[in-house]
Amino acid sequence: MKIIGLTGGIASGKSTVADMLIQAGCIVVDCDKIAWQLAEPGQAIWQIYVDRYGAKVLNQDRTLNRQAVADIVFRDRQEMDIINSLVHPLIKDRLLAEAEVARQRGAKVIFWDVPLLFETGFDKMTDEKWLVYVSPATQKARLINRNGYTEDEALRRINSQMSLAEKQKLADVVINNDGDIEALRRQVLEKVNNGQR
């Protein structure tokens, strides 16, 4: 079975591509969904945050206050590295388990939708790497428009990840998302239909 890592950068359109792959009948495992499940109250990632930061990262209902966590880790590179070293092994185990389930069900291909595919080293567990690419100007504009961030906030989040230019050098397949949604859909379906899945 082939494992394809799908990645991009914040506001690159990776989730849109993942949705298109699902609509085309592909199996896609969403790394962010795994992380959200593990961050539910009492789960492993939730416990990591509470042990490290205490009640200040919790809402009144004991759910994780994701904005409070983001405010800590996006302002301190060292803190982000520490959290990632604790969280990523948990996510890796779940991704491998999902791949094994797919393999046992006879799947020929599975996509792992992983925003930090290269940063985490998860790319080394894949057979092929797909990147959803946008220009830096498009990425910043989309993030400001989508999330209402200031330019500084947008740049801080963009710069917390490996640049898309660097990722492009490591990718096997590059899907350019500087155009409209139909141009994106055509590229995705072409890749799928050309047997690259």
Side-chain angles (χ1 to χ4, degrees):
M1 185 184 75
K2 183 191 245 185
I3 298 174
I4 299 176
L6 173 67
T7 194
I10 191 167
S12 68
K14 178 187 56 59
S15 297
T16 302
V17 170
D19 289 342
M20 289 175 178
L21 289 168
I22 291 167
Q23 290 164 12
C26 301
I27 300 170
V28 179
V29 179
D30 186 334
C31 177
D32 281 345
K33 279 189 184 155
I34 290 172
W36 278 75
Q37 290 165 358
L38 292 174
E40 290 295 319
Q43 297 296 316
I45 290 176
W46 180 90
Q47 196 63 56
I48 287 169
Y49 286 127
V50 172
D51 288 349
R52 188 149 186 90
Y53 306 123
K56 70 180 177 182
V57 295
L58 295 180
N59 296 311
Q60 286 190 335
D61 64 359
R62 309 272 304 149
T63 58
L64 207 54
N65 182 327
R66 293 172 189 282
Q67 188 57 54
V69 173
D71 287 345
I72 294 168
V73 299
F74 282 112
R75 282 186 167 78
D76 184 338
R77 184 72 213 196
Q78 185 177 5
E79 199 58 35
M80 180 180 278
D81 290 343
I82 291 167
I83 287 299
N84 286 343
S85 73
L86 298 169
V87 166
H88 290 163
L90 301 172
I91 295 171
K92 175 182 172 183
D93 288 348
R94 191 70 70 88
L95 284 170
L96 290 171
E98 293 277 356
E100 185 53 34
V101 168
R103 190 186 326 276
Q104 288 176 6
R105 291 182 178 162
K108 300 274 189 286
V109 177
I110 185 172
F111 284 85
W112 284 352
D113 175 355
V114 184
L116 304 179
L117 183 72
F118 299 112
E119 294 93 327
T120 57
F122 290 4
D123 61 303
K124 293 174 181 58
M125 301 184 296
T126 66
D127 302 297
E128 194 169 277
K129 280 80 63 185
W130 287 22
L131 172 69
V132 183
Y133 177 87
V134 290
S135 67
T138 301
Q139 186 180 27
K140 183 176 75 173
R142 285 182 182 166
L143 193 54
I144 289 169
N145 291 337
R146 186 186 76 186
N147 295 66
Y149 291 147
T150 65
E151 186 171 345
D152 282 349
E153 287 171 327
L155 288 172
R156 190 162 50 240
R157 281 162 172 77
I158 289 167
N159 292 334
S160 73
Q161 298 178 348
M162 181 189 294
S163 77
L164 287 173
E166 289 177 79
K167 290 182 180 187
Q168 192 172 12
K169 294 173 190 168
L170 301 170
D172 300 303
V173 172
V174 176
I175 298 168
N176 188 305
N177 190 21
D178 274 331
D180 62 22
I181 193 79
E182 286 312 314
L184 181 64
R185 191 183 313 279
R186 280 194 300 274
Q187 287 179 78
V188 172
L189 292 178
E190 181 186 336
K191 302 279 188 269
V192 169
N193 293 332
N194 281 348
Q196 293 204 46
R197 68 180 181 121

